[in-house]
Amino acid sequence: LPTLKFLMLMLQHVLPKGLQRARDYGFLRGNAKAILHQIQCLLLPLLQLLLGIEPMSQPTRTCPCCQHSMQCIGISRPR
């Protein structure tokens, strides 16, 4: 690849002075994963409603001793 062609390709990715990338702000910034997850959780029911997809139901398990429903509070894996 010629030197000038390489430099032209690289300079296509440089923003003009005074402009900043939009992904550096708001919920698209690198350390905003919790906010992005909240937005996705809020929008998921709306998307399911628009597309006509039934929401996923939580699997229910019953206790073998008392026959009441149990709730999963976490999953652990051996190291």
Side-chain angles (χ1 to χ4, degrees), residues 10-58:
M10 289 300 293
L11 289 176
Q12 286 179 355
H13 301 285
V14 177
L15 291 174
K17 187 174 182 175
L19 294 179
Q20 296 206 357
R21 292 179 292 182
R23 68 179 183 189
D24 291 339
Y25 298 98
F27 62 90
L28 294 176
R29 68 183 188 271
N31 61 351
K33 292 183 188 213
I35 296 171
L36 184 59
H37 180 69
Q38 288 177 346
I39 292 172
Q40 289 171 342
C41 288
L42 289 172
L43 292 178
L44 183 63
L46 178 64
L47 182 64
Q48 290 173 344
L49 181 67
L50 290 175
L51 296 178
I53 301 171
E54 292 184 21
M56 294 173 35
S57 62
Q58 294 289 333

Side-chain angles (χ1 to χ4, degrees), residues 1 3 13 28 34 42 56 60 67-68:
L1 191 62
T3 306
H13 301 285
L28 294 176
L42 289 172
M56 294 173 35
T60 56
Q67 303 302 320
H68 283 89

